[in-house]
Amino acid sequence: MEPLVQFFFNLLPFLSDWPEWLALTVIGVAAAIMMFGFIAIFALIAIWLERKISGHMQDRLGPMEVGGWHGWAQTIADTVKLLVKEDIIPEKADRPLFKLAPMIVFTAALSGFAVLPWSSEFIPADLDVGLLYILSISSFAVIGILMGGWSSNNKWSLYGAMRGVSQVVSYEIPAALALLAVIMSAGTMSMRGLVMAQSGNILDWNVFNFFPLTTIAFFIYFIASLAEVNRTPFDLPEGESELVGGFHTEYSAMRFAFFFLGEYANMFVVSAIAATVFLGGWLPPFEALGFIPGPLWFVGKALLLVFVQMWLRWTLPRLRVDQLMYTCWKVLTPFSMAIILLIGLWKVL
Amino acid sequence: MTAQEIHNKIQEKFPDTIIEFNDSVLQPFIKLTANQFNEVCQFLRDTDGLDFDALMNLSGVDYGEELGTVYHLYSMQHRHKIVLKVNVTRENAEIPTVADLWRTADWHEREVFDLYGINFTNHPDMRRILLPDDWEGYPLRKDYVQPEVYNGITIAHPDMKGDSDEEK
Amino acid sequence: MEANQILFIAIALLTILSAAVVAFSNKIIHSAFALLATFTGFAMLYIYLSADFLAVTQIIVYVGGILILIIFGVLMTHRIYSTAKKTAHNSILISLLGGLLALGLFLFIISMYPWAPTVVKDFSPTTAVIGTEILSGYLLPFEIISVLLLGALIGAIYIARQEDKEK
Amino acid sequence: MIQLNSFLIISAIVFSLGLFTVIYKKNAVGILMGVELILNSVNLNFVAFSKYVDAHINGQLVAIFIIVLAASEAAIALAIILNIYRDRETIDVTQLDEMKH
Amino acid sequence: MKKSNIPESQFELQVPDSLKTEEMTLSMGPQHPSTHGVLQVILKTDGEIITSAKPQIGYLHRCFEKHAENITWHQVIPFTDRLDYIASMNNNLGYVIGLERMMNLEVNERAEHLRVVVSELNRIASHLIALGTYGLDIGAYTPFLYVFRDREKILDLFEEICGARLLYNYIWVGGVAYDAPDGWREKVLEFCDYFDPKVKEYNDILTFNKIFIERTANVGVIPAEVGINYGVSGPSLRGSGVDFDLRRDDPYSIYDRFDFNVITGKGEMGTVGDTWDRYWVRVAEMVESVKIIRQALENLPEGDAKETVPRNIKVPAGEYYMRTETPRGELGFYIISDGSKMPNRVKVRSPAFCNLSVLPAVAPGVMIADLVAIIGSLDIVLGEVDR
Amino acid sequence: MRQYFKNIYEAIATILVGMGVTWRHLFTRAVTIQYPHVKRTLPERSRMQLFVEMDDCIGCMACERACPVDCIEIKTVRGGKDEDLGQTSNGQKKRLHVVQFDIDMGKCCYCSDCVFPCPTGAIRMTPEYEFITYDRSTLLTKFATYSPEEISELEERERKEKEAQAAAKAAKLKAAEEAKKAAAGTDEPKSE
């Protein structure tokens, strides 16, 4: 709690004169709004980027019309369109759950932002169990997906939901194990502590720390995180060629937008975790580059990983369900376990 | 193997089944009776030297008084073809199926049933295939009259109604 | 009243009301999804009790594991593609009676004894303490529970796949 | 100040609701949910006592063991329920009575 | 020798009673992203596993055969365009050659060469779509755009020679509708040079991608005898290892003059006859088509391609079954003429129709994702299935 | 076991190869044309909208007969005896008033079958493709320039001419008959 409060007190000195509970409430709400704003802006930019990147990778141009320069306002236009679209709820759908599902998915994504360390000063909540918290939050998204898929009363949605659940639950294991390898070497689960443990230059980052063990752990985490946020090649829950739209087949208008927003927020969260845990968070690669502020490094690293996610998406085909499980249980999990074992040995010896 | 030889082979095995054999047209054909048709086809498919393992095409034809089905057989092994024809009367349009011999025939026979109303006996799944199940009549018969309404939907567009045929 | 207390009451209400939905809902799937709120409510209560590690564990295990198992159980044992399914119940009177009796008993006991806190602890991270304790004082239960978990895992797989053996 | 009592009362209410659920539901999965409610309310008691009465965090440790137990219990129970469902096409506990005879 | 019949239920998945959970009936299509049009498949599934798949067709039925009986011989040609709208040139060719053989008509050399060139170009265009949509079915989006980029070049060539991009009405009885414009030959050659390296690009991004191979190899295996029995033809049959190509084995036009290989599936990545083999046959066939185009253009004679086109077509009474190798397989026109100016009967034996009929045989036992892969690998065009 | 590691290696290697392809394409020039701003020049043979040069049309109906979908509707009225309707561009003399020449582009299948039989090259397909409308009826293009009054006038005249012709014919026939009768015998009494 302290760093954030300190940050806000520095920013707005008059807050410290207010009663404590009021100041804390204001700070909490302000931080939440900042995060929400960040998600919204990030999603706008990321969706535009995704379209441009996919366009150029496919010898196209992507959006070019709306807003003038390279169609920068296309996503805004689409958001407006989604806002004014008719909100369709299937007649036989389970209405309360149907309405709740996108909120849960989005809330889960938003909650993840609570522990992201933007810089040494600005961490909304520097929990002692920060990393574990993020892992636990992803189970909410699973329930949201299941809720949406089931309440749509559509068989394809249900298939998508079932796939989504089995996928996310399975891939949590290699992801957690890969992170555990780093937790073991750093000796803390606090996001701030994890970054602090990597201070120095680029070679002190966790990704190179126990070369090549943590490097492999990084790739394992990256692959597993792709699966957790349902991105290609693991986009089976929404695999459009098989399941039409997967769990969000029946969603339209703003409810669909919330699923979409949730997906992009999740993309950023997993990239940010990878950046924090493996790539040194807000730290610059070399001391000489220290004049660039920390949040820029942090966001830059996360965006780089988001770009790689997009790059993969526009390159790869989709896996099948059994291959997905094979990859998880027979490739990623044993490898991550072996890495934990080896890092343990390394630490002991 | 030429058409004549194929004809002779069938003649030898099934003496009463061949109605007509014509070797002078572009593609020689053998016209058969319906009653032993499945056995003849089995013979054609399974006899060494004939080995007609592929049914290229199966089509219904409306000859006016009679309906007929034409089978184009091909042997992948020997690269020879033969055309079989079976004619039936309009009133009693029944032909034994060959879907058990060539699975190609399965859907093709359904199509012929759909469009000509020829019933293929012993076919596993004799339903309409292209038209809706509740369609009335068999459109490819020459005496078919297009209904004006189907399930409350007007079929002929007002502009198009019946003008194409007379004018030409 | 402080913001803290308002929040606490809200959480308590969330927990109790969602538990009531679990109990009274006619649709079993609604009960299952209401459990999500109950479990989350408990996790938040643990935070009030300075048990941060436990709160996170609660969510990981209950929401990420048990709840999904339960929902899958519901989906697999019902016509899963119809949302309108309702379930039959026993007599509500007897059940209410049982529930109320228990509640009365507990409230009576709670009111009988002055539950004054004997220690006052501020918040301190518990992860390290729990880790140390499990590997020292609670080593035996830890080992036993590990074996139990393993046994349960194998047992569950065995029971669910019994047909293969029959074949 | 939030007192120990408040937690105990919440726990008592949820426990009774859990008990009610166990008696009320005919559906085996529903009963399982009731059991989970009961286990949770017990957990809450342990943690509350750990905070207010216990000098150490023994309560929390017990709660962790209970969570693990609950997980294994849920897994086994659901495996059994699935098995019963496959055999009998029902998981209504009132109809699963052939052991009585 | 008694050969065994292939029973309908041979492939029906037998799930032991004790393992049976509730079966779910799913209607895949007619509005579904990967049914390649308005195909509907009624699926019965046990979890992700399909126990039976029954295609329901006819949503795009346009009464081609009835229509053809009411218009003149020549007017049928634009309608053949619309059968397999991805490879219209090949459809034109089949119908026209059928008529020419019935009329005993000689076609001039230049027209014959042009016919071969456009048919092969159209084959490439069609296979490109097959590749792209197959990638899309598997989940890869980018190859789809790459193949469309290259197909666009072929369409430009077509537009230049006949004015249309999709429905050409180009090959006419006795010749072709238009002669090639100046410089067209060079442009086609240029395209050939451009196209060869592109195949490597497709291979890099899709064909030899491990995920793609895992998704397609050993999936939806159609054994050779099953394929023949079901009337599967074209690349789908060659994928099962049957060395049979009508261009070589029942030659028409001037295909017997060219030197090209018939590609067959060899099971390089899995079993012979799996979806990867069918896919690979298409990729390799495009290279062969380029070879044919090069040869045909080298020998392209000077002259007027239109000189032998008759003004009024009268087809002598008779009947003929003409089959040609379209990108999808054996396209047969069974034409009956009674000597008048309109056909008595034009029956289309459409390859996609027969290829699709094998689906109920291979689908049971695969997963939903595999079913999509199988439908994609059969490369059906609903315009031709339903006619 | 070897297969296991080989699979992993192959997966990584081929994914990297694929990523290389997309990476290269990220920097290649896009092939898209920004349609309303940039327009392709279509080859002259492009078959888009039909156009009829009415001055060249002699009303022979060849195109209407050739059309497989009946999207052309032509009505003609014969010209007067001494009326000069002018000549087509290839020197053919026009004899008919083409009072109606409607092409329904909504029905047209763009096969260009109508273009070839035209003896004067009056009907042709143009590379004009931007004729999208909100109303289907606007796709019906009327090429004839006659006003309804003119048409009815012409039709009236034709009817009269026809009648006159028929009358003349009848008279001729009658005359012939009478002549025949006269030749056959004069003794018979004339009726009335």
Side-chain angles (χ1 to χ4, degrees), chain F residues 132-151:
Chain F
I132 293 160
T133 63
Y134 283 105
D135 183 7
R136 221 188 307 182
S137 62
T138 54
L139 289 173
L140 183 80
T141 332
K142 294 185 196 293
F143 289 98
T145 49
Y146 292 83
S147 68
E149 296 80 47
E150 278 177 305
I151 295 172

Side-chain angles (χ1 to χ4, degrees), chain A:
Chain A
M1 194 187 274
E2 286 75 29
L4 181 75
V5 175
Q6 207 55 52
F7 176 82
F8 270 98
F9 280 180
N10 290 343
L11 202 68
L12 308 163
F14 58 88
L15 272 181
S16 45
D17 305 332
W18 291 10
E20 195 196 349
W21 64 270
L22 187 62
L24 286 183
T25 314
V26 167
I27 288 170
V29 170
I33 288 173
M34 277 171 73
M35 291 303 122
F36 184 80
F38 179 80
I39 290 178
I41 291 166
F42 167 76
L44 284 182
I45 294 170
I47 291 168
W48 178 80
L49 259 182
E50 175 127 47
R51 287 170 159 180
K52 289 310 263 190
I53 288 170
S54 69
H56 282 282
M57 278 180 176
Q58 297 162 351
D59 286 355
R60 298 185 288 121
L61 288 168
M64 290 293 282
E65 284 300 315
V66 185
W69 184 79
H70 279 268
W72 63 271
Q74 183 65 51
T75 327
I76 299 172
D78 287 346
T79 316
V80 172
K81 185 199 81 174
L82 280 176
L83 275 168
V84 298
K85 261 182 95 161
E86 185 191 356
D87 175 30
I88 300 164
I89 300 179
E91 196 187 327
K92 291 278 170 62
D94 195 317
R95 291 181 82 94
L97 295 185
F98 187 84
K99 288 179 181 169
L100 199 58
M103 293 180 213
I104 291 186
V105 170
F106 181 73
T107 313
L110 184 62
S111 320
F113 278 76
V115 293
L116 294 187
W118 301 82
S119 73
S120 52
E121 293 87 37
F122 188 67
I123 305 173
D126 183 22
L127 295 186
D128 191 49
V129 286
L131 215 48
L132 209 55
Y133 166 82
I134 291 232
L135 288 175
S136 76
I137 283 301
S138 64
S139 22
F140 280 102
V142 174
I143 301 284
I145 287 174
L146 195 52
M147 206 183 255
W150 183 81
S151 64
S152 302
N153 199 17
N154 175 327
K155 291 168 189 173
W156 299 110
S157 302
L158 189 65
Y159 264 111
M162 290 293 210
R163 282 183 179 188
V165 172
S166 48
Q167 172 178 327
V168 177
V169 168
S170 311
Y171 273 86
E172 251 173 35
I173 290 159
L177 289 178
L179 292 178
L180 204 59
V182 178
I183 294 171
M184 272 174 66
S185 66
T188 174
M189 281 196 285
S190 136
M191 299 299 253
R192 184 192 174 82
L194 279 166
V195 177
M196 284 312 189
Q198 303 177 58
S199 49
N201 61 16
I202 188 165
L203 289 178
D204 291 316
W205 292 1
N206 273 334
V207 68
F208 299 117
N209 203 357
F210 290 87
F211 190 83
L213 294 177
T214 38
T215 319
I216 299 173
F218 170 66
F219 283 114
I220 289 173
Y221 175 74
F222 185 73
I223 293 167
S225 71
L226 277 180
E228 283 203 54
V229 296
N230 306 332
R231 296 282 297 184
T232 315
F234 305 105
D235 59 344
L236 289 100
E238 51 206 81
E240 73 284 339
S241 66
E242 296 147 30
L243 300 183
V244 190
F247 59 88
H248 54 54
T249 306
E250 297 287 355
Y251 282 88
S252 59
M254 226 33 225
R255 292 183 210 288
F256 171 75
F258 267 105
F259 273 125
F260 213 64
L261 218 55
E263 180 183 330
Y264 276 86
N266 268 330
M267 273 169 74
F268 184 82
V269 171
V270 292
S271 304
I273 295 169
T276 312
V277 175
F278 292 100
L279 302 179
W282 66 77
L283 299 172
F286 304 104
E287 295 288 341
L289 291 169
F291 62 89
I292 298 171
L296 281 187
W297 281 114
F298 174 75
V299 174
K301 285 168 187 172
L303 282 182
L304 185 73
L305 291 175
V306 169
F307 168 73
V308 178
Q309 287 183 353
M310 291 175 180
W311 184 7
L312 278 170
R313 172 167 179 184
W314 298 109
T315 305
L316 295 181
R318 185 183 305 122
L319 287 167
R320 207 199 307 152
V321 184
D322 56 333
Q323 289 155 1
L324 181 91
M325 290 300 157
Y326 177 93
T327 317
C328 174
W329 294 108
K330 296 202 171 163
V331 181
L332 298 183
T333 310
F335 266 83
S336 48
M337 280 181 171
I339 284 165
I340 288 183
L341 194 72
L342 289 175
I343 287 187
L345 277 176
W346 189 317
K347 287 286 257 186
V348 171
L349 295 177

